[in-house]
Amino acid sequence: ENSGVLILFTNSLSGQIPSTLFQCTSLIEIDVSQNSLTGPIPADISKLQHLQTFLTHQNESRGSTFGNLSSLLQTDMAFNQLSGTIPTAIGSLSQLQRLSLAYNRLS
C-alpha cells in the first residue's frame, strides 16, 4: 500500500527541491509550501506514480513538471515564480480535481 506523506510546510527551507526526495516512491502526498524553495521542480517527480497531492505554494519555484503523475488529485503551485505557458501535460491528468496556479507569471 502506498501511504507515505511528507509534510514540510513553513520550515524555512531554501534552495532547490532535492531530486533524491522523489526516490521515495511510496509517497502519496508532499507539502513543501510556505518555504523559500527556488529553481525548477525536478523532472524526477514523475517517478512518483502514486502521488495524489503536491503542494508547493508560496515558494520561489520557477519551473513546473507534471510528467506521468496520473494519480495526481490536487496541486497548489500558487504564489511562485512560474512563467511561460501553462504546460499542456496538465490536460493528461485525468484524476486532477484541484489545480491552483494563481499569482504566477503564466500565459
Side-chain angles (χ1 to χ4, degrees):
E1 180 176 316
N2 295 298
S3 59
V5 175
L6 179 64
I7 308 294
L8 295 171
F9 68 88
T10 316
N11 268 294
S12 301
L13 300 176
S14 61
Q16 293 186 329
I17 298 173
S19 60
T20 53
L21 171 70
F22 303 119
Q23 293 175 2
C24 304
T25 58
S26 65
L27 288 173
I28 61 167
E29 181 177 346
I30 297 174
D31 186 348
V32 291
S33 301
Q34 300 177 358
N35 284 290
S36 296
L37 297 172
T38 59
I41 295 163
D44 286 346
I45 194 171
S46 64
K47 293 179 181 177
L48 302 181
Q49 302 273 324
H50 305 286
L51 188 66
Q52 296 175 4
T53 302
F54 182 62
L55 307 174
T56 183
H57 63 276
Q58 292 182 325
N59 278 291
E60 298 172 25
S61 297
R62 297 184 194 273
S64 58
T65 300
F66 292 95
N68 287 335
L69 299 176
S70 59
S71 297
L72 194 65
L73 298 174
Q74 66 172 331
T75 186
D76 186 344
M77 301 174 79
F79 295 96
N80 276 285
Q81 301 294 319
L82 305 178
S83 61
T85 59
I86 296 173
T88 57
I90 290 175
S92 65
L93 301 175
S94 60
Q95 302 296 315
L96 192 63
Q97 297 173 5
R98 182 175 181 270
L99 169 67
S100 178
L101 299 172
Y103 297 97
N104 282 289
R105 298 179 183 138
L106 295 167
S107 55

